[in-house]
Amino acid sequence: MNATADPAEPAEPPAKTSVACDHCGLPVPKGLIEPHEKEQFCCQGCRTVYQVIHANGLERYYRLRDSVAAKPRRAAATTNRYLAFDSEEFLTHQTRSTAGGRRVAELRLEGVHCAACLWLVERLPGIVEGVADAKLSLRASLVRVTWDPTAVSLSRIAQTLDCLGYPAYPAAGVTALDVRRNEERKQLVRLGVAGALAGNSMLLALALYAGLFSGIESHFHLLFRWVSAGLGMVSLAWPGAVFFRGAWAAIAARRPSLDLPIALALTVGGVAGLANTLLDRGEIYFDSLSVLVFLLLVGRWFQARQQRRADEAVGLIFAFTPSTCRVVMGDEVVDRPVDSLAFGELVEVRSGDLIPADGAVESGESSVNQALLTGESHPAPVGPGQKVYAGAQNLGGVLRVRVIATGEESRVGGLMRLVDQGVREKPPIVQFADRVSGWFVAAVVVLSLATLLGWWAATGGAAAIDHTVALLIVACPCALGLATPLTMAMALGAAARRNMLVKDARAIERLAKSGRLLLDKTGTITAGRPVLKTWIGPSWLKAVVAAAERDSVHPVGAALRRAFCKEGVDDGAIVDQVVELGDGGLTARFEGRRLRIGCPSYFDRESFLTNDLWRRAAAEHQTLGQTVVLVALDEELIGLAALADQTRPDAAGALEQLASAGWRTSILSGDAADVVHGVAAEVGVPFEHACAGMSPEGKLEVVRRRGDAGGVTVMVGDGVNDAAALAAADVGVAVQGGAEASLAAADVYLAQSGLAPLVDLTDLARQAMRVVRRNLAISLGYNLLAVSLAAAGLITPLAAAVLMPISSATVLASAAAGLRGGR
């Protein structure tokens, strides 16, 4: 008789040697097995997920998981780390608003791996009240969640995803730079695989070729051919796939490209080699094909690296603006990130600080250095009601600025958009090598078809395939396609050895010609910082001025300090109570007397310039484009210093050499007319070609007008105000000490000071183009001769496989010999 168990006392299940977790299916540790419980779990995370799924009627998840044979995965432990998702700063920068008061956020999920995960995550609206939609990209592990913030918090949504086994992270941290780096990694992996396959194929080919002369046993001969075929087919199917995709795109676009004959040669060679391997006859070609794939991928990787540099001018706003700022909130001043600033907020800018955003001065007087933005070498006085711009430096008293534009809406942001536009609108030059390659591609395709049909009709299939394969291999445009890039690479290396970074090889071809040379003044023709030219006054006063300017961040004050210390003047004079004013002046106490140092306009306001002698002296130096500083003790003027930006010593000679090479020079400067014309006279630039008072937008317009007029336009500069013009010019050249934005926007960076390196670069460019033309002639001559011999049946596939790399080596040797002078 069967005993009936008491329902209050459930029967103990039989002992199991292994118990599976009811959620993830992984073994439950012995210490966590609960003998009297129906469900068993390997961890608390799996228990929580299991309960959430069943409480919401989502048991179908397990059927989906089992149907796709997903690998068991232990659930992540739940945490409370998502409270920061509800902060105002996070919601402002990581989410966006939609119609109806809803918000949208993108979260990167960890642990997404199968269709069951997709199904479960997209059931989120049924699990969490207030979630309107959830869409998951399985490939990117990125979920886009739309929710009602009045009904549920983002931290609750993230916590629920965590409970389901998918820890969440903000997706905004993944940038375009990350995408580019990921693509470069893929290219390097593809390149590494191609190199390994090519190396092993060549080792096998060496054994097979040696066996032709010294003999090889038949089973080893067959084994090596099959292994070589296997390696070659992998090389064509994986790393070589990029050429087949490029060829298909060229066919779809009905435009010839180098990928077309390459893909045709790889296809015919691969099919013929595989057929010869199966039939154990003739050449198998896989060594040449594998090496060809590897060499072409090497060239493409370097080309991609150069192209990436052309895009680095975008997103440079924070390279020259501060990352934090001081925001006035009632009676307190708090530090905040610049990217959290909003329209209408009040910021405090102390002496020496950079202004964080465009705004209007609400209180305080000072002078600001805007040379980085406008090219103006003299600091500009500002006061209440006047506009100031992000990136300018406060050089005097404390300013309080009401924000009117931030980030991309600021003037700096507008300049960066112009930089981006200039980079993208720069007209690409169609090189002679590309045109010749296009004609050659069409000719090779037609000739290979003619060779196949002609030999097939005359001798049959085997000879026709051999001759066609030989033609495609020997006529592969590797040498022709690499003639220009190889020479350009050698030229770039020669330039780098001379401390000239050329980021775009097309700049070499353009600089080999002549055209219009547009030069910024400050920091390019001149050194970019004022130096003392004249001192009128007693010698003992120099020590007093140096002591008063000891802590000044103003360029003029620093120049006076450098000049007087350089002369050996002791700056230890007892000067105290120093106050740097915002209207171009400074006051202090010296031996109980009041010391004033400032510009003529400051003394005009103080009614000091009543002495005609001092007034005429100041006016005379200002006419020469110099900055005048006056010094007074009590009520008496007793000293005058005249400062000027110093012209670089090599500027006049360099511009003369460039003029003799056919370059026509103009100066574009944001500085005053008398200053610009004085510098132009020093370096030999005609008066009518010295343009003063140029804004960044004005410089850009001049560059575009010169470009429309034809010829090559070269812009040389160093500041943010030059960045847009540098990007729009045919060749942008940034000089040493320039702003980061100008360096990124330019095609060339001269790491040595002065303009003499520009002369060296144009000489190198002309030399490189002579080598390019010679290498093109060698490549064309080789291809014409080799194609003719192959079509006539005078070159075997084996000979073609040997000649193909020899042609590339010849071009490389020619480039090396032609540019050997670059040191």
Side-chain angles (χ1 to χ4, degrees):
M1 186 173 73
N2 293 334
T4 303
D6 186 351
E9 297 289 340
E12 184 173 332
K16 298 181 181 180
T17 56
S18 177
V19 178
C21 176
D22 278 276
H23 172 68
C24 70
L26 295 173
V28 178
K30 187 175 181 180
L32 295 181
I33 296 176
E34 300 176 341
H36 299 286
E37 295 295 332
K38 183 178 179 181
E39 292 88 10
Q40 302 292 327
F41 302 100
C42 64
C43 65
Q44 187 61 36
C46 284
R47 182 188 297 276
T48 303
V49 175
Y50 184 87
Q51 291 171 352
V52 171
I53 289 176
H54 283 75
N56 290 277
L58 302 172
E59 295 86 353
R60 188 184 170 204
Y61 164 77
Y62 296 105
R63 295 196 300 274
L64 283 169
R65 184 192 66 187
D66 296 338
S67 68
V68 296
K71 185 179 178 181
R73 175 179 52 84
R74 182 174 281 110
T78 60
T79 66
N80 196 29
R81 63 182 180 86
Y82 301 107
L83 294 179
F85 283 25
D86 296 333
S87 68
E88 190 65 31
E89 185 175 355
F90 185 93
L91 292 174
T92 300
H93 298 290
Q94 302 284 353
T95 68
R96 66 179 188 274
S97 299
T98 64
R102 294 175 176 175
R103 297 196 74 84
V104 177
E106 290 186 341
L107 301 174
R108 192 80 61 187
L109 299 184
E110 183 182 316
V112 174
H113 66 291
C114 70
C117 299
L118 175 68
W119 180 86
L120 183 59
V121 170
E122 293 192 346
R123 300 283 81 76
L124 196 62
I127 302 174
V128 181
E129 185 179 356
V131 176
D133 188 45
K135 295 296 182 184
L136 175 68
S137 169
L138 192 62
R139 179 185 59 83
S141 299
L142 191 70
V143 62
R144 179 175 296 169
V145 181
T146 304
W147 83 99
D148 181 1
T150 63
V152 66
S153 65
L154 182 58
S155 64
R156 165 77 191 286
I157 297 171
Q159 182 73 18
T160 303
L161 288 168
D162 196 326
C163 288
L164 292 174
Y166 308 108
Y169 304 90
V174 180
T175 64
L177 179 61
D178 299 319
V179 175
R180 286 198 301 266
R181 285 175 176 169
N182 186 49
E183 181 59 29
E184 284 188 0
R185 291 190 195 100
K186 291 180 180 178
Q187 288 180 331
L188 284 174
V189 169
R190 196 181 297 124
L191 186 60
V193 171
L197 293 171
N200 285 282
S201 293
M202 290 301 295
L203 289 175
L204 293 168
L206 182 62
L208 289 171
Y209 294 151
L212 294 177
F213 302 101
S214 59
I216 185 172
E217 294 184 17
S218 60
H219 58 280
F220 285 116
H221 181 266
L222 187 62
L223 173 64
F224 290 165
R225 286 168 66 90
W226 274 100
V227 174
S228 180
L231 295 174
M233 294 305 293
V234 172
S235 180
L236 298 181
W238 183 10
V242 294
F243 303 110
F244 295 107
R245 287 194 293 267
W248 180 253
I251 293 172
R254 298 181 180 180
R255 292 186 60 187
S257 82
L258 288 178
D259 284 339
L260 195 56
I262 291 173
L264 189 58
L266 295 178
T267 300
V268 175
V271 171
L274 190 59
N276 287 347
T277 303
L278 292 170
L279 299 175
D280 193 20
R281 66 171 178 81
E283 298 300 325
I284 58 174
Y285 318 121
F286 288 112
D287 52 337
S288 297
L289 298 179
S290 299
V291 171
L292 178 60
V293 168
F294 173 67
L295 290 177
L296 291 173
L297 286 176
V298 169
R300 293 206 169 184
W301 186 78
F302 281 108
Q303 181 181 2
R305 292 278 293 182
Q306 288 182 353
Q307 184 61 38
R308 182 173 68 84
R309 290 178 181 270
D311 295 329
E312 290 179 350
V314 184
L316 295 172
I317 293 174
F318 299 109
F320 41 85
T321 55
S323 58
T324 61
C325 60
R326 297 180 177 88
V327 181
V328 180
M329 303 182 69
D331 296 332
E332 295 184 357
V333 179
V334 298
D335 287 341
R336 283 242 308 269
V338 167
D339 57 1
S340 69
L341 274 181
F343 176 86
E345 289 192 295
L346 188 66
V347 295
E348 183 178 273
V349 186
R350 299 177 184 176
S351 180
D353 288 351
L354 296 176
I355 297 172
D358 290 0
V361 178
E362 194 159 288
S363 65
E365 291 186 346
S366 183
S367 57
V368 295
N369 182 2
Q370 300 184 120
L372 198 65
L373 294 170
T374 65
E376 172 66 48
S377 60
H378 302 307
V382 294
Q386 291 183 284
K387 280 189 176 182
V388 290
Y389 299 102
Q393 185 182 26
N394 181 20
L395 299 175
V398 176
L399 294 175
R400 290 200 168 183
V401 178
R402 185 71 63 180
V403 175
I404 60 176
T406 63
E408 294 185 357
E409 301 303 319
S410 66
R411 187 177 185 187
V412 167
L415 287 176
M416 289 304 97
R417 284 195 299 274
L418 291 174
V419 170
D420 183 30
Q421 183 180 1
V423 169
R424 298 186 187 281
E425 289 185 354
K426 186 182 296 184
I429 188 169
V430 181
Q431 297 186 4
F432 178 69
D434 292 337
R435 295 195 296 270
V436 173
S437 297
W439 301 332
F440 182 77
V441 165
V444 167
V445 171
V446 172
L447 189 57
S448 63
L449 291 175
T451 301
L452 178 64
L453 295 176
W455 281 100
W456 193 290
T459 61
I465 291 176
D466 281 349
H467 295 326
T468 303
V469 169
L471 186 149
L472 286 170
I473 291 177
V474 79
C476 174
C478 185
L480 184 60
L482 291 179
T484 300
L486 280 173
T487 307
M488 290 301 183
M490 300 291 291
L492 298 184
R497 288 190 292 274
R498 302 181 190 184
N499 295 318
M500 298 179 290
L501 173 62
V502 182
K503 298 192 292 182
D504 189 347
R506 291 174 296 182
I508 295 292
E509 182 175 356
R510 292 166 178 169
L511 288 169
K513 305 173 185 177
S514 59
R516 174 63 67 181
L517 183 64
L518 306 176
L519 298 170
D520 175 48
K521 179 188 72 69
T522 306
T524 303
I525 300 177
T526 64
R529 65 177 190 175
V531 294
L532 182 68
K533 292 291 187 179
T534 305
W535 168 253
I536 301 173
S539 296
W540 61 265
L541 188 57
K542 295 179 181 179
V544 177
V545 172
E549 301 284 4
R550 181 183 294 112
D551 299 319
S552 176
V553 295
H554 198 289
V556 172
L560 290 172
R561 185 173 62 247
R562 285 194 306 269
F564 294 150
C565 290
K566 185 177 180 180
E567 292 181 8
V569 175
D570 179 17
D571 65 350
I574 302 175
V575 176
D576 54 11
Q577 301 181 29
V578 178
V579 178
E580 195 164 1
L581 305 175
D583 55 355
L586 175 151
T587 65
R589 303 295 296 181
F590 169 65
E591 295 182 350
R593 304 173 68 184
R594 186 178 184 186
L595 173 70
R596 288 185 177 93
I597 303 174
C599 60
S601 60
Y602 165 75
F603 284 98
D604 252 339
R605 289 191 295 271
E606 297 289 321
S607 301
F608 266 66
L609 275 179
T610 57
N611 186 309
D612 287 342
L613 180 63
W614 289 107
R615 186 183 293 276
R616 285 197 301 271
E620 179 183 345
H621 288 287
Q622 286 179 318
T623 303
L624 297 175
Q626 297 176 347
T627 299
V628 174
V629 177
L630 298 170
V631 184
L633 273 178
D634 290 332
E635 307 302 319
E636 182 185 2
L637 283 170
I638 59 172
L640 180 149
L643 302 97
D645 196 0
Q646 193 170 19
T647 303
R648 295 188 184 275
D650 64 345
L655 293 181
E656 184 179 355
Q657 293 181 59
L658 290 167
S660 64
W663 291 95
R664 302 178 304 281
T665 304
S666 296
I667 297 177
L668 306 181
S669 175
D671 226 330
D674 51 358
V675 177
V676 176
H677 293 153
V679 171
E682 283 189 59
V683 297
V685 174
F687 178 84
E688 62 273 15
H689 292 158
C691 304
M694 298 292 295
S695 66
E697 295 80 3
K699 292 183 179 182
L700 176 61
E701 184 60 30
V702 171
V703 169
R704 286 176 172 168
R705 285 204 310 268
R706 300 297 186 191
D708 293 340
V712 178
T713 302
V714 177
M715 176 70 196
V716 186
D718 73 326
V720 175
N721 61 312
D722 303 316
L726 288 169
D730 293 324
V731 180
V733 181
V735 299
Q736 185 190 42
E740 185 174 348
S742 68
L743 306 187
D747 303 298
V748 180
Y749 170 53
L750 304 180
Q752 289 180 318
S753 60
L755 291 177
L758 185 60
V759 178
D760 291 341
L761 183 61
T762 56
D763 291 342
L764 177 63
R766 287 192 293 271
Q767 182 183 5
M769 290 312 300
R770 286 194 295 269
V771 177
V772 165
R773 288 188 285 269
R774 184 177 70 198
N775 283 349
L776 285 174
I778 293 173
S779 301
L780 282 173
Y782 154 79
N783 277 286
L784 290 174
L785 178 62
V787 165
S788 301
L789 294 176
L794 300 177
I795 293 181
T796 66
L798 176 60
V802 174
L803 288 174
M804 189 271 291
I806 290 179
S807 65
S808 298
T810 302
V811 171
L812 179 60
S814 173
L819 294 171
R820 188 173 296 149
R823 56 187 187 277

